[in-house]
Amino acid sequence: MPEEKNNTDFAPLTKLFMAITASVAALCTINLYALAILAGLEMIAAAVMDGGRVLWKGISILAVFAVILAGIQLLFITPLFLSVGSAYKMFIMAVSLFILVATTPTQAITAALVKQCRLPYDYAFMITAVLRFVPDLLKESKEVREAQSCRGFHPSRDPLRRIIDYMMIIKPMVFKAISRSENMAISLTLRGFSGKNKRTFMAATKLCGSDYIIMLVNLFICIAVVKYF
Amino acid sequence: MIKKAIGKSSDLRWITITTLLLAIGVILRIISPNLGGISLNWNIVMYATAILLCRPSPRQGLGIGIVSGIIATMTSKAALPYANLISDPVAAFICALLVRWCVFDIKLGRLQIEPLVIIFITTFISGGIFVTLTKVVLSLPMPLYLYAMLPAVLLVAALGSAAGQLLYFPAARIFNNDGINKKAFFLQNIDLTISKGEFFVLTGVNGSGKTSLLLSLAGAKPSYLGGFKNSDIHIDDIDIVKARPEILNNQTGLVMADYEAQLVTETVDDEIAFSLENKGMLPQQIIEKQHDVLKKVGLENMGGRKVTSLSGGQKQRLVIAAVLAMDTPILALDEPVAAVDPEGAKEIYDLLYRLNKEDGKTIIVAEHDLKYVLDIASHMAVIDKGQLKFSGEKQVCLEYMYTNKIYPEVIPLRWKIRREMGQEVC
Amino acid sequence: MEDTPGNGAGSMLNLKNVTFSYSSGSKIFDDISINIDTDAITAVAGRNGTGKTTLTRLIMGIIHPQSGVIEFDGKLISDKPSYVLAKNIGYVFQNPDHQLFAATVYDEAAYAPMQLGMETKQIRECVDGALAATGLSEKAHLMPQTLSLGDKQRLSIASALAAKPRILILDEPTSGQDCRERTVLLRLMRKLNSTGLGIILVTHDMDILAEHADKMIVLADKKIAYAGTPRQLFADEEKTVKLGLELPEAAVIAAEMGLELCLTPAELYGKMAVWREKNA
């Protein structure tokens, strides 16, 4: 992989392609060496893309998770190489995707999905909008929780009861979301969301030479793994 | 008014409901309590509820499933994240089909159990596909699959359907505006003319129709509004009652009272770009516009900030900026200072005053707190129970309200003192 | 208005050397002490970000001080969580939509007393009383979400009242309401106070504060910058402005007309009549 590249230089489609080829390759082999090499290549890719601390923290969580998965399988008397193999697979697939998500703005991912993968814009819009509202609603859920605790709400020790009690938090949030959805729909209409004009996308999705090279390299690795291992 | 002038907000409702409910689903997966390590798959409960509420076509259902799958793939750290890309679309598609065909629109005694059954099936299909794929792909042992994973799916489906059953009925009542207005609400005898460059204030108690009127001016009709009766509205020579919604859209930019619902993108720059991208404006022009409007509202150099990191006042400014970017000659604001402190209120009105005087925008504001606008507004109207009581020059309107006791509580003290003691005393 | 009214029962809310900061940031309060007379209407004011809501959240036990104590009637409360304090203190949030969840207005109001373990008969009494006090008895069977904003706000007051608290905290209760609803709400607040319920009112509306508060606390720079009657503060315009507050409209107009300090429109009209007689 060329050294001078950083995350802004790869098009989102390229990263998507990398994630898919890595996953397909991992899926199609049970050879532990091949899997180890794939995982190694992914680590290099992660280093090159420079996703910062978030990326590495996520990868380490996934690594722990993979070890646990292997442990569970050993408990069920699965052969060692199979257990390690599926832990590798899980790790490779999850990391490939995580690299994409951690190093690419959602606006760029959705632009790529619409322009290059032909996803209708309505759905791409929903993806970015969901992610935009998550932090706000998280804050709101805290406020609702506080408001309810001031009326004597406190989670019960009984786990089943806890879930039922939790409706106290969920209901106000869902009700508010439903009332809000009308304002949001009106606002979208006013902002030309369903207009007939051809839409512009500000996010960069264009592929350049290096993107094609990376994709070819990936395809090559993927085919090699599928064919020879 | 006939159907044609309906700004098709209801057509987009399935999008906005699904969006907001899925966002709630994402956070519930993080924060909700779990049962011995098994947490409820709230995403599925949420999109199934959205599908039950909006009853979209199976094709739209499939799309909702794809969205949920991608979101789950991006946010969850499951053993096999890709499995969501298959399980959610299939489940959502079947859910939409079942809801369309009303297969389970049945009653058990007096209890309607459609949500219970639909959400159970949807969750079971989605969860079943998910664990089966995980089992096959990661070649997990059969006993683990049969005695741990599948029962877990059943449990999750049972809990999810119970939660959905509790949520759906009140949600549906709110969705259908049940009990809020038994009869359709009409705006009547609205004889209103607003000329270019006016600073116009609309007042009236909550529920009198201010918001409905503002929305109609901008070419959007809320679902509870029946329409206009015996009305004649002209703004800057445009016949509001007769004009097509698209024309009104291009004429009036609207800042709602619930302005947070208007912000739909991740960053400040994206938010300004959103409406311009929809129009198909060239990227270079969009960048120029972003710079211009952010400067105008005092958010310069904040283009890269996340929308969520802004304060309430900044969010409101951002909405104003996004509306300004659309270059409408008229700017309408619904209770812009309801949720801000006095300092913030003065800043907002300073901004509106400048936009009115320097940029020549026609400003229309629905407002309860006339203290701030008393010396800025040129014209005023008061609306009561869906009827326009008076419209005209500010002084004349206030005098009318004072003498006829039409919403007299809103009249600023200063105006009353001036009326009694002469204009020059204060 | 001048001094503390009330029945002299003399219960007190005491904050002693309270220091608080959120885990993420710098200090909000640095060693503050204050006695709040819980028979009065006490307003909390100050610039944005000075911690008005933080103060009431500390009292309610939603958050807890890093050092210092809060006592109610001489008993330590700052170590108790809010769901325990709900018996004594009611908290009405700015946005009523954050708590409405029940199928009917009645059930909504019945939640707190149920949660506090009251008996069925007692619950019924408390809820009926709370709904009657807030004028919602006729709407008991309606769905909370279908109410007007003013009704919703009064319902959240009713659901706090049903727990029979001794103090009621109102956080910007008039925000988003029209002038008519505002008048109704403020009248309700005074009525509740006259029956012995202590009110802590967070507000940035100086007109409301001047007309209705017996005492006021102004927060600035992590400290309590002023505690006393509104009249005393507003008499000192320089200090008022320095604390980031504005004078009430009546006071501004009175000053422009060359009259003495007026806090309310009624007072202004009274002084004007005298002035007119003199000049006639």
Side-chain angles (χ1 to χ4, degrees):
Chain A
M1 239 158 271
E3 281 297 304
E4 72 279 3
K5 293 284 170 197
N6 65 36
N7 62 340
T8 46
D9 286 336
F10 289 123
L13 186 68
T14 312
K15 292 191 218 175
L16 190 66
F17 189 76
M18 286 166 77
I20 293 168
T21 48
S23 305
V24 170
L27 262 182
C28 296
T29 179
I30 46 161
N31 185 308
L32 289 187
Y33 293 111
L35 287 169
I37 291 169
L38 276 173
L41 283 174
E42 254 185 354
M43 291 302 103
I44 294 171
V48 172
M49 304 257 206
D50 189 27
R53 275 185 55 198
V54 186
L55 182 61
W56 292 111
K57 210 176 146 197
I59 290 179
S60 40
I61 291 172
L62 288 170
V64 173
F65 201 61
V67 173
I68 295 173
L69 185 76
I72 292 176
Q73 294 190 67
L74 286 174
L75 269 181
F76 280 86
I77 335 173
T78 315
L80 181 67
F81 83 96
L82 261 183
S83 311
V84 176
S86 49
Y88 260 132
K89 284 184 183 180
M90 179 248 129
F91 181 74
I92 291 165
M93 286 189 277
V95 167
S96 70
L97 202 75
F98 190 64
I99 293 176
L100 167 74
V101 176
T103 63
T104 325
T106 27
Q107 215 74 13
I109 298 181
T110 49
L113 288 174
V114 173
K115 275 165 59 178
Q116 290 153 333
C117 306
R118 301 297 172 113
L119 182 74
Y121 179 65
D122 284 0
Y123 306 115
F125 164 79
M126 284 161 84
I127 296 168
T128 42
V130 167
L131 297 175
R132 130 89 180 100
F133 277 103
V134 165
D136 276 17
L137 286 166
L138 196 60
K139 212 170 103 206
E140 191 176 296
S141 76
K142 282 193 192 113
E143 282 160 15
V144 171
R145 200 192 171 86
E146 282 171 12
Q148 303 300 38
S149 79
C150 293
R151 306 163 68 193
F153 166 80
H154 60 105
S156 148
R157 278 173 199 281
D158 173 4
L160 201 64
R161 175 104 209 127
R162 259 173 105 97
I163 292 181
I164 298 167
D165 282 349
Y166 214 71
M167 294 307 280
M168 290 275 300
I169 314 286
I170 298 168
K171 276 185 175 172
M173 292 183 65
V174 169
F175 297 163
K176 192 165 176 213
I178 291 172
S179 326
R180 175 166 278 183
S181 71
E182 171 145 28
N183 290 336
M184 199 174 149
I186 288 172
S187 162
L188 284 181
T189 316
L190 293 181
R191 295 177 74 182
F193 180 79
S194 45
K196 283 152 203 85
N197 296 325
K198 194 173 181 326
R199 198 178 191 282
T200 317
F201 286 92
M202 292 287 284
T205 55
K206 237 192 160 145
L207 302 176
C208 57
S210 61
D211 288 302
Y212 290 110
I213 296 173
I214 294 291
M215 282 207 233
L216 270 178
V217 171
N218 268 284
L219 193 64
F220 173 72
I221 296 174
C222 178
I223 292 172
V225 169
V226 174
K227 239 183 143 144
Y228 298 107
F229 293 98
Chain B
M1 194 163 63
I2 8 172
K3 227 181 165 179
K4 71 165 174 63
I6 292 173
K8 297 176 192 127
S9 71
S10 49
D11 292 358
L12 296 177
R13 196 89 189 266
W14 69 276
I15 293 182
T16 55
I17 284 217
T18 314
T19 302
L20 292 171
L21 290 187
L22 277 177
I24 292 178
V26 171
I27 64 164
L28 288 181
R29 270 185 100 160
I30 309 169
I31 62 169
S32 75
N34 56 38
L35 204 57
I38 299 167
S39 66
L40 249 177
N41 195 331
W42 285 105
N43 282 359
I44 305 177
V45 178
M46 289 299 155
Y47 71 67
T49 307
I51 289 173
L52 279 161
L53 287 173
C54 307
R55 309 201 171 241
S57 69
R59 195 186 131 87
Q60 288 168 332
L62 182 69
I64 290 173
I66 293 173
V67 171
S68 172
I70 294 177
I71 298 281
T73 311
M74 286 164 88
T75 54
S76 86
K77 293 199 173 58
L80 191 70
Y82 293 99
N84 282 306
L85 291 178
I86 298 168
S87 64
D88 275 345
V90 174
F93 178 74
I94 295 175
C95 178
L97 266 186
L98 295 177
V99 170
R100 258 290 153 108
W101 292 340
C102 300
V103 185
F104 296 104
D105 200 358
I106 40 176
K107 281 187 177 176
L108 205 71
R110 279 179 55 212
L111 191 67
Q112 208 194 342
I113 54 163
E114 191 186 18
L116 189 82
V117 181
I118 294 276
I119 294 174
F120 184 85
I121 294 175
T122 311
T123 315
F124 188 72
I125 293 175
S126 176
I129 294 176
F130 187 89
V131 297
T132 310
L133 280 175
T134 310
K135 190 229 167 274
V136 173
V137 169
L138 300 181
S139 46
L140 300 178
M142 200 53 158
L144 181 69
Y145 175 70
L146 282 182
Y147 303 122
M149 291 162 83
L150 274 184
V153 169
L154 271 177
L155 180 68
V156 167
L159 288 175
S161 58
Q165 176 84 8
L166 290 175
L167 263 183
Y168 174 73
F169 294 103
R173 286 187 65 185
I174 297 169
F175 179 71
N176 298 321
N177 285 325
D178 258 8
I180 294 175
N181 292 295
K182 284 184 187 72
K183 276 180 290 179
F185 178 74
F186 281 93
L187 287 167
Q188 299 177 44
N189 309 324
I190 311 277
D191 196 353
L192 181 67
T193 307
I194 301 177
S195 319
K196 197 170 164 47
E198 282 185 8
F199 196 117
F200 194 95
V201 174
L202 179 65
T203 195
V205 295
N206 282 345
S208 60
K210 294 190 303 297
T211 302
S212 309
L213 183 55
L214 277 193
L215 288 172
S216 309
L217 298 184
K221 190 177 142 303
S223 55
Y224 50 80
L225 180 66
F228 287 97
K229 277 181 186 168
N230 189 26
S231 295
D232 182 32
I233 308 173
H234 282 84
I235 298 185
D236 198 5
D237 294 333
I238 291 186
D239 187 334
I240 301 294
V241 182
K242 293 212 182 84
R244 290 212 325 278
E246 302 88 76
I247 290 177
L248 299 178
N249 286 176
N250 292 331
Q251 190 71 10
T252 304
L254 180 70
V255 179
M256 298 175 160
D258 180 17
Y259 52 84
E260 299 221 10
Q262 291 186 269
L263 298 170
V264 291
T265 67
E266 234 183 328
T267 68
V268 170
D269 271 341
D270 291 342
E271 198 60 55
I272 308 290
F274 180 73
S275 8
L276 305 178
E277 287 177 310
N278 287 337
K279 271 180 160 180
M281 193 185 262
L282 294 172
Q284 194 49 45
Q285 283 176 297
I286 295 183
I287 292 168
E288 274 168 35
K289 262 267 137 52
Q290 282 170 336
H291 186 79
D292 272 10
V293 294
L294 287 178
K295 194 164 170 221
K296 220 163 239 171
V297 301
L299 293 176
E300 55 265 66
N301 305 324
M302 294 180 87
R305 285 271 295 271
K306 292 235 156 122
V307 169
T308 321
S309 72
L310 302 180
S311 72
Q314 287 171 329
K315 281 182 180 166
Q316 192 175 26
R317 279 157 186 277
L318 176 57
V319 175
I320 296 178
V323 169
L324 286 178
M326 294 177 79
D327 268 334
T328 55
I330 303 162
L331 186 61
L333 300 96
D334 194 0
E335 301 193 23
V337 302
V340 292
D341 61 354
E343 230 163 289
K346 280 193 198 115
E347 279 171 22
I348 293 276
Y349 275 113
D350 278 349
L351 172 64
L352 294 180
Y353 182 74
R354 280 204 312 274
L355 290 171
N356 178 242
K357 283 282 168 291
E358 290 166 19
D359 298 4
K361 299 258 182 207
T362 309
I363 309 271
I364 306 173
V365 190
E367 189 56 271
H368 291 302
D369 210 336
L370 299 187
K371 193 163 70 182
Y372 302 104
V373 286
L374 184 62
D375 291 327
I376 303 179
S378 57
H379 291 73
M380 223 181 122
V382 60
I383 184 168
D384 188 33
K385 297 191 190 100
Q387 308 212 23
L388 192 74
K389 290 290 176 188
F390 191 90
S391 160
E393 274 187 35
K394 171 185 66 191
Q395 280 300 342
V396 190
C397 182
L398 284 166
E399 184 64 39
Y400 169 86
M401 288 163 70
Y402 187 78
T403 41
N404 293 293
K405 300 260 179 298
I406 307 290
Y407 195 20
E409 298 91 335
V410 80
I411 299 173
L413 179 63
R414 188 178 285 272
W415 185 87
K416 287 189 270 192
I417 302 290
R418 278 179 187 164
R419 183 181 184 275
E420 207 162 309
M421 312 289 289
Q423 292 297 316
E424 58 291 339
V425 297
C426 58
Chain C
M1 289 301 274
E2 293 298 339
D3 243 322
T4 320
N7 51 20
S11 64
M12 275 284 183
L13 194 63
N14 307 319
L15 280 77
K16 292 180 183 163
N17 307 101
V18 168
T19 296
F20 178 80
S21 58
Y22 285 104
S23 54
S24 50
S26 57
K27 268 184 193 162
I28 307 286
F29 296 129
D30 186 8
D31 192 22
I32 59 167
S33 298
I34 181 98
N35 298 333
I36 298 173
D37 178 351
T38 57
D39 293 323
I41 296 179
T42 306
V44 181
R47 276 199 184 87
N48 262 357
T50 49
K52 298 189 288 284
T53 306
T54 308
L55 182 72
T56 50
R57 281 153 59 97
L58 277 166
I59 294 170
M60 187 68 219
I62 299 170
I63 48 178
H64 304 279
Q66 267 92 30
S67 67
V69 294
I70 303 172
E71 293 171 351
F72 178 54
D73 274 353
K75 278 189 225 106
L76 184 70
I77 60 165
S78 49
D79 58 342
K80 294 194 172 61
S82 46
Y83 62 83
V84 173
L85 294 181
K87 234 178 297 187
N88 289 313
I89 310 175
Y91 198 122
V92 177
F93 283 78
Q94 188 171 354
N95 188 345
D97 282 329
H98 279 167
Q99 58 177 65
L100 303 179
F101 75 101
T104 66
V105 165
Y106 186 92
D107 292 348
E108 191 71 53
Y111 180 77
M114 262 164 65
Q115 207 59 17
L116 295 172
M118 290 188 193
E119 289 164 32
T120 322
K121 201 178 139 227
Q122 204 185 354
I123 292 176
R124 186 156 268 284
E125 267 169 36
C126 288
V127 174
D128 287 343
L131 291 181
T134 50
L136 289 169
S137 299
E138 314 240 295
K139 296 179 174 159
H141 61 283
L142 294 179
M143 188 181 177
Q145 278 77 23
T146 63
L147 300 177
S148 71
L149 183 68
D151 283 347
K152 278 184 188 171
Q153 190 61 275
R154 274 180 293 125
L155 174 56
S156 46
I157 293 178
S159 56
L161 286 181
K164 297 257 172 205
R166 300 191 25 215
I167 304 172
L168 190 65
I169 300 173
L170 301 170
D171 189 356
E172 300 285 359
T174 56
S175 105
Q177 312 227 0
D178 67 38
C179 300
R180 211 167 274 172
E181 290 163 343
R182 197 175 301 181
T183 316
V184 173
L185 193 94
L186 293 169
R187 204 175 293 147
L188 170 66
M189 178 180 84
R190 298 205 76 135
K191 198 179 82 189
L192 292 172
N193 180 242
S194 70
T195 62
L197 181 70
I199 305 271
I200 298 176
L201 171 71
V202 178
T203 185
H204 51 228
D205 189 326
M206 291 305 124
D207 294 343
I208 291 176
L209 191 149
E211 189 161 354
H212 299 280
D214 306 309
K215 291 275 184 68
M216 71 188 281
I217 297 170
V218 185
L219 303 170
D221 295 328
K222 302 164 197 170
K223 296 276 187 197
I224 289 173
Y226 176 82
T229 61
R231 184 168 298 275
Q232 225 175 335
L233 177 66
F234 292 135
D236 186 347
E237 188 182 345
E238 203 181 323
K239 188 173 180 183
T240 309
V241 172
K242 218 178 104 201
L243 292 174
L245 307 178
E246 47 182 23
L247 289 176
E249 191 72 352
V252 176
I253 294 172
E256 284 171 27
M257 293 173 67
L259 299 172
E260 311 163 35
L261 178 67
C262 297
L263 290 192
T264 65
E267 203 182 343
L268 180 61
Y269 279 114
K271 293 242 166 76
M272 263 166 45
V274 177
W275 179 80
R276 226 181 315 192
E277 261 170 43
K278 238 195 274 170
N279 286 285

